[in-house]
Amino acid sequence: MYKKYNTNQTTLPLELSALLPQDHLVFVIDEFIESLDWSAYPLFEASEGRPGYHPRLLIKALLFAYSEGIFSGRKMEKMMLENIAMMWLVSQETISYRTINRFRSSLFCQNLLPELFAEFAAKLKTENMVTMETLFVDGTKIEANANKFSFVWKKAIERYKASLKEKAMQYFKEEIQPLVDQAMQIDDSDELSTAELEEIATIIEQEIQDLSSDIEANPVKGKNPKKQRRRTLKKHLRKLVNDFIPRKKKYAAYEEVFEDRNSFSKTDTDATFMRMKDDYMQNGQLKAGYNIQIGTENQFALAVGVFPNPTDTRTLIPFVDSLTILPKTIVADAGYGSEENLDYLDQIDVEHLIKYNAFDKEQKRSYKSSDKNRKNWEYVAEENYFVHPDGTKYYFSHISRKKNTSGFVQIIHVYKPTNPEEAPQKSFNYNWHYEELKEQETSKLLSPEGSRIFAQRKIDVEPVFGQIKANLGFTRFHLRGKEKVKVDIELALMANNLRKYNLRKAS
């Protein structure tokens, strides 16, 4: 005995929402997007042609698709035909994948996503899910949507450029200059600029035209040396036009793209080659990617930043600058504990619990009793010298200033012994300001309250990256260019936020 069925019979209910569980995610997405004040967003409305889809409909579709681990525009379009929840969310419209992709890459979407994060943070605060007082900051590297073999390295370009500079000047002096009748004025520098190379090419073209006119006006029987000279000039012209000038322009364009980076991808010039954690071949292969920084509370991503530099140290200041509301306290791991970062947070009056690189090492019993620990050295302030545990005195020698790429200057005091040959070490550097900052940070981190808050970091910010990578399958970007990549990760994080909010609300 089997249960009877009829696929051609009309059935009720016709309302799609009745087919979905009451706690389905699409209801949360719909409620959140519809609650926004859309009068603040200037919408483009065409006076002719078919009316466009409202951005509310498109952003809802994107958020739900991302929450299901769907990132392809074609698959989103397919969801609108087959997925009941998506059909209800978009009012049974079937939006072309081209429209979805254009909206996702649009300037409107780039401006909308940060507003969604601000509105969602306000909603969480109203419902007492976050306090907006403590922000846990961490970063991860995600592979760019770029060919892994499309790399351009700064050192290689500098080497090629130097070689081109030498070859071009030598070629001009030995091959071109003796053949050209017209005088050429070039700078006294040891390098030919692109404009000078183009000027040389123009002069050679004119020489070739004059020779051609002369050959036609005065034909010669047998071997004509003017024809040989014309062939030689044409060869030199091809060398300039097809080799020297394009390479010169290409290297100049590459230098503009590099800025302060050491590499970039030809496929996505905003992406930088960096080491990824998911190095399955264990060969240290570099991949084009972005450094993603997020700030979380209660495992909700409240802020996100996209950076091309592989290290976290130089991302903290621009990330904090991008925050619309500054928290009372910022918590981060050792990758952010530079002198510049700690000093900056003090200047803007933001409390911080940030480990510096040597913090864990300094807490070990072996280090506390070691001669390398400066706390075990005696310091005589009146004469400004340190005394090593073995009795060697290190006197102040001079001040060294180190300037990093962001312009921050470290003031380092250099101390040297009177007898360097017999001393345990010939000299050592001491940054008084940084040591004072580290002392303050250590005191806060080792306090009961500081230890409790810092321990929260591992279970607050780090799981968010695991959720979008493992649960949503977001392990590689789907758009190219820094601004579009930011939209891509913001959609993934907001989708994860809404999933988390829905689960907690249901429980």
Side-chain angles (χ1 to χ4, degrees):
M1 178 70 69
Y2 296 99
K3 186 175 181 180
K4 295 181 180 179
Y5 68 93
N6 186 349
T7 55
N8 296 318
Q9 181 178 343
T10 302
T11 59
L12 293 175
L14 299 177
E15 172 56 47
L16 293 177
S17 62
L19 301 174
L20 301 172
Q22 293 183 355
D23 60 350
H24 200 283
L25 178 61
V26 288
F27 299 127
V28 170
I29 294 174
D30 180 69
E31 179 188 359
F32 172 58
I33 298 300
E34 292 293 337
S35 67
L36 300 177
D37 180 13
W38 286 87
S39 63
Y41 307 102
L43 304 178
F44 174 78
E45 296 182 5
S47 57
E48 299 178 354
R50 180 182 175 183
Y53 297 105
H54 198 285
R56 281 194 295 243
L57 210 63
L58 293 164
I59 198 66
K60 287 180 190 177
L62 283 169
L63 287 172
F64 180 57
Y66 270 67
S67 72
E68 293 290 302
I70 303 296
F71 312 111
S72 161
R74 291 178 185 271
K75 291 182 179 179
M76 292 180 197
E77 181 181 351
K78 188 178 180 182
M79 285 181 72
M80 295 174 191
L81 295 170
E82 300 176 352
N83 188 296
I84 294 176
M86 178 66 91
M87 291 167 66
W88 176 85
L89 192 61
V90 298
S91 303
Q92 294 183 275
E93 295 279 359
T94 303
I95 306 172
S96 166
Y97 71 91
R98 293 187 181 90
T99 303
I100 295 169
N101 289 339
R102 275 198 299 268
F103 175 76
R104 182 167 51 170
S105 300
S106 68
L107 183 62
F108 182 91
C109 196
Q110 293 172 23
N111 295 331
L112 174 62
L113 264 299
E115 296 296 329
L116 290 188
F117 273 87
E119 293 288 342
F120 189 71
K123 179 182 178 66
L124 294 175
K125 184 171 174 57
T126 303
E127 299 182 20
N128 297 319
M129 289 191 177
V130 298
T131 63
M132 303 292 287
E133 292 185 356
T134 303
L135 193 69
F136 299 91
V137 178
D138 201 3
T140 191
K141 297 167 190 171
I142 298 180
E143 188 177 349
N145 182 10
N147 188 324
K148 64 181 68 176
F149 302 110
S150 63
F151 43 76
V152 179
W153 301 103
K154 189 173 185 177
K155 288 185 178 179
I157 295 303
E158 288 174 348
R159 187 169 64 252
Y160 297 151
K161 184 182 177 183
S163 175
L164 174 63
K165 166 185 164 182
E166 183 180 346
K167 286 181 180 178
M169 181 60 75
Q170 183 179 0
Y171 192 83
F172 169 73
K173 289 179 178 179
E174 295 179 0
E175 302 289 343
I176 298 176
Q177 204 168 31
L179 286 172
V180 179
D181 294 333
Q182 183 178 342
M184 286 179 285
Q185 298 294 328
I186 63 172
D187 295 335
D188 294 333
S189 65
D190 58 348
E191 180 178 7
L192 291 169
S193 66
T194 304
E196 287 172 337
L197 289 172
E198 289 175 341
E199 181 187 355
I200 293 168
T202 303
I203 291 172
I204 293 176
E205 285 179 346
Q206 186 62 48
E207 286 279 338
I208 293 171
Q209 290 177 9
D210 293 343
L211 279 171
S212 298
S213 300
D214 189 20
I215 291 169
E216 291 177 5
N218 304 296
V220 177
K221 291 183 179 180
K223 190 175 181 180
N224 189 345
K226 292 182 180 178
K227 289 184 178 180
Q228 177 62 35
R229 185 183 178 197
R230 184 176 63 179
R231 283 195 293 270
T232 304
L233 286 174
K234 284 183 177 180
K235 182 187 76 171
H236 295 332
L237 182 62
R238 286 195 297 271
K239 184 71 173 176
L240 286 170
V241 174
N242 299 331
D243 185 10
F244 289 163
I245 293 175
R247 284 170 61 192
K248 191 84 174 176
K249 290 181 177 179
K250 180 176 71 172
Y251 297 155
Y254 283 171
E255 286 181 335
E256 290 183 5
V257 174
F258 278 124
E259 294 180 344
D260 58 346
R261 296 181 293 161
N262 292 321
S263 65
F264 69 85
S265 167
K266 293 178 185 177
T267 316
D268 182 356
T269 55
D270 288 341
T272 306
F273 279 81
M274 53 186 74
R275 298 189 189 280
M276 303 288 177
K277 286 185 178 179
D278 52 342
D279 183 13
Y280 303 115
M281 300 299 293
Q282 298 296 314
N283 57 4
Q285 182 184 12
L286 301 176
K287 295 180 182 178
Y290 290 90
N291 189 351
I292 306 304
Q293 300 291 313
I294 64 170
T296 69
E297 185 184 352
N298 200 13
Q299 290 193 7
F300 288 106
L302 305 179
V304 59
V306 176
F307 300 92
N309 43 300
T311 57
D312 293 332
T313 309
R314 289 168 47 210
T315 63
L316 184 64
I317 293 177
F319 178 72
V320 173
D321 284 341
S322 68
L323 300 177
T324 53
I325 300 176
L326 286 177
K328 290 183 179 179
T329 306
I330 285 180
V331 184
D333 64 6
Y336 303 86
S338 67
E339 179 186 1
E340 182 181 10
N341 289 341
L342 298 178
D343 190 57
Y344 171 79
L345 293 176
D346 285 340
Q347 290 177 15
I348 62 173
D349 199 25
V350 173
E351 283 294 322
H352 44 86
L353 287 167
I354 303 177
K355 282 185 178 181
Y356 49 91
N357 284 334
F359 176 81
D360 290 328
K361 174 186 172 183
E362 290 178 1
Q363 307 316 309
K364 293 181 180 178
R365 186 181 303 173
S366 58
Y367 180 82
K368 289 182 178 181
S369 60
S370 171
D371 292 346
K372 295 180 180 180
N373 186 355
R374 294 286 181 267
K375 293 179 181 179
N376 295 329
W377 294 32
E378 180 187 355
Y379 174 66
V380 181
E382 293 80 6
E383 300 182 43
N384 193 9
Y385 68 83
F386 285 86
V387 182
H388 190 275
D390 70 357
T392 305
K393 294 181 179 179
Y394 287 79
Y395 290 90
F396 170 73
S397 172
H398 62 278
I399 291 177
S400 172
R401 288 177 171 83
K402 291 185 179 180
K403 188 176 182 180
N404 63 17
T405 53
S406 65
F408 181 79
V409 178
Q410 287 184 308
I411 300 176
I412 298 170
H413 292 242
V414 181
Y415 291 84
K416 294 182 178 180
T418 53
N419 52 341
E421 299 300 328
E422 299 176 4
Q425 58 188 81
K426 293 184 178 180
S427 67
F428 74 88
N429 300 334
Y430 201 80
N431 187 332
W432 286 93
H433 181 57
Y434 192 25
E435 293 298 327
E436 181 182 352
L437 292 175
K438 291 195 291 186
E439 193 71 30
Q440 295 171 2
E441 212 67 25
T442 300
S443 177
K444 290 187 290 185
L445 287 166
L446 296 180
S447 67
E449 181 65 11
S451 298
R452 183 189 65 81
I453 296 174
F454 192 83
Q456 182 70 21
R457 187 194 67 83
K458 289 185 178 181
I459 60 174
D460 199 296
V461 62
E462 292 184 4
V464 175
F465 289 127
Q467 289 157 8
I468 64 170
K469 289 180 180 180
N471 297 345
L472 303 187
F474 193 98
T475 56
R476 190 173 189 261
F477 286 110
H478 314 91
L479 304 177
R480 294 173 180 172
K482 183 179 176 181
E483 297 303 321
K484 294 178 183 179
V485 160
K486 191 168 186 289
V487 169
D488 206 11
I489 189 63
E490 284 174 335
L491 284 169
L493 289 168
M494 182 54 69
N496 190 61
N497 280 345
L498 291 166
R499 280 166 55 107
K500 196 180 303 292
Y501 173 81
N502 187 44
L503 289 172
R504 294 186 182 179
K505 188 177 178 183
S507 61

